[in-house]
């Protein structure tokens, strides 16, 4: 197939907890990988990206490492904040211009 | 830079009416994408343009949907006639060069409700 699969949500955490949102992909080649975040009532925003194997993307305390051997790009953050509450989308771009998105994972962080 | 501008933000219309959604891309972004977001199907790519030319419209659900990009500053997505199952949030996204992996810039979306 040619898809992106994310862990099912919703995910609910307490402030300062550790976050992992799993993402795996299928692709015939070596795609570029992305995480997008969508805050309530807004469009998606690029959070981080990685374009080749073993690259680590990072932004705002979030990190994800491109793992070719496990075809994964899991999103992590060491200490979440209430303001991180949003929907997170994993995405890939193989050849061409289109992005393929995962289903999205709703994260709620409670104070 | 005002970003990708979509209008209207919200649209409520009756079944059978024509609906037109609008998008103004970021200046210099040659690629424009229309996505639809629903709870059931997530984010679906409907169509995308490069230099105002439609490249891939395989995601357009049926003939009731049409999209145009008459110039580099403007695109429309039209639904005629609209149906309740078209209710969704429609996003426009643009990028300068996908192969450089800058990522897409999304607009704030149009929430369409067809009653």
């Amino acid at each position: 197939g040619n898809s992106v699969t994310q862990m099912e949500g919703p995910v609910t955490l307490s402030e300062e907890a550790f976050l992992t949102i799993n993402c795996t992909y299928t692709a015939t080649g070596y795609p570029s990988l992305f995480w997008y975040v969508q805050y309530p009532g807004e469009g998606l925003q690029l959070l981080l990206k990685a374009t080749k194997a073993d690259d680590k993307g990072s932004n705002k305390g979030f990190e994800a490492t491109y793992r070719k051997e496990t075809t994964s790009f899991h999103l992590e953050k060491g200490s979440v904040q209430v303001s991180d509450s949003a929907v997170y989308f994993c995405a890939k771009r193989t050849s061409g211009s289109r992005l393929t998105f995962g289903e999205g994972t709703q994260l709620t962080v409670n104070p | 830079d005002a970003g990708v501008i979509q209008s209207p933000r919200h649209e409520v219309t009756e079944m059978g009416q024509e609906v037109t959604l609008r998008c103004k891309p970021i200046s210099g972004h040659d690629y424009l994408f229309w996505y639809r977001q629903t709870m059931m199907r997530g984010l679906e790519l409907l169509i995308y343009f490069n230099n105002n030319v439609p490249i891939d419209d395989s995601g357009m659900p049926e003939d009731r949907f049409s999209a145009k990009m008459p110039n580099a500053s403007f695109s429309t997505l039209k639904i005629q006639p609209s149906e309740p199952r078209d209710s969704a949030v429609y996003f426009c996204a643009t990028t300068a060069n996908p192969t450089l992996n800058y990522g897409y810039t999304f607009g704030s979306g149009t929430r369409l409700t067809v009653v």
Side-chain angles (χ1 to χ4, degrees):
Chain A
N2 197 26
S3 65
V4 177
T5 303
Q6 292 181 228
M7 69 183 287
E8 289 191 21
V11 175
T12 302
L13 297 173
S14 298
E15 206 164 24
E16 299 183 4
F18 184 86
L19 169 71
T20 300
I21 300 178
N22 289 340
C23 172
T24 57
Y25 65 90
T26 60
T28 54
Y30 298 99
S32 297
L33 302 172
F34 305 84
W35 276 99
Y36 280 80
V37 58
Q38 184 180 27
Y39 298 103
E42 299 183 12
L44 280 70
Q45 303 174 25
L46 179 63
L47 180 60
L48 53 84
K49 65 183 180 184
T51 58
K52 61 183 186 296
D54 300 324
D55 267 2
K56 177 185 282 188
S58 61
N59 186 25
K60 299 180 181 179
F62 291 89
E63 293 183 339
T65 301
Y66 191 140
R67 302 286 188 200
K68 186 177 67 173
E69 63 277 10
T70 54
T71 61
S72 64
F73 193 54
H74 304 324
L75 182 68
E76 297 181 336
K77 187 174 185 180
S79 177
V80 293
Q81 305 301 312
V82 173
S83 57
D84 293 327
S85 298
V87 182
Y88 292 82
F89 292 89
C90 186
K92 68 169 186 179
R93 189 187 70 79
T94 47
S95 59
S97 307
R98 60 168 55 220
L99 280 180
T100 300
F101 288 90
E103 307 86 359
T105 301
Q106 173 76 54
L107 170 66
T108 300
V109 181
N110 295 318
Chain B
D1 184 356
V4 177
I5 300 173
Q6 290 187 247
S7 63
R9 286 298 307 271
H10 302 275
E11 176 80 34
V12 180
T13 190
E14 292 185 347
M15 182 173 62
Q17 297 297 306
E18 177 180 294
V19 175
T20 299
L21 312 181
R22 297 173 175 80
C23 175
K24 177 178 169 54
I26 292 173
S27 177
H29 280 196
D30 296 331
Y31 289 79
L32 184 144
F33 303 79
W34 282 102
Y35 281 89
R36 179 171 67 179
Q37 185 179 38
T38 61
M39 289 292 291
M40 291 297 294
R41 294 186 298 272
L43 274 164
E44 302 172 277
L45 177 64
L46 301 178
I47 184 172
Y48 80 90
F49 296 83
N50 177 214
N51 290 323
N52 313 335
V53 176
I55 302 301
D56 184 351
D57 65 354
S58 59
M60 296 286 263
E62 48 198 275
D63 292 346
R64 298 185 297 106
F65 285 69
S66 62
K68 295 181 180 179
M69 192 163 185
N71 57 61
S73 303
F74 185 62
S75 177
T76 59
L77 177 67
K78 185 177 294 186
I79 308 172
Q80 166 64 15
S82 58
E83 297 182 1
R85 60 192 169 121
D86 302 330
S87 297
V89 181
Y90 291 81
F91 288 103
C92 175
T94 70
T95 189
N97 186 337
T99 59
L100 296 181
N101 292 309
Y102 293 148
Y104 297 2
T105 301
F106 280 76
S108 298
T110 295
R111 181 174 294 277
L112 173 65
T113 303
V114 183
V115 298

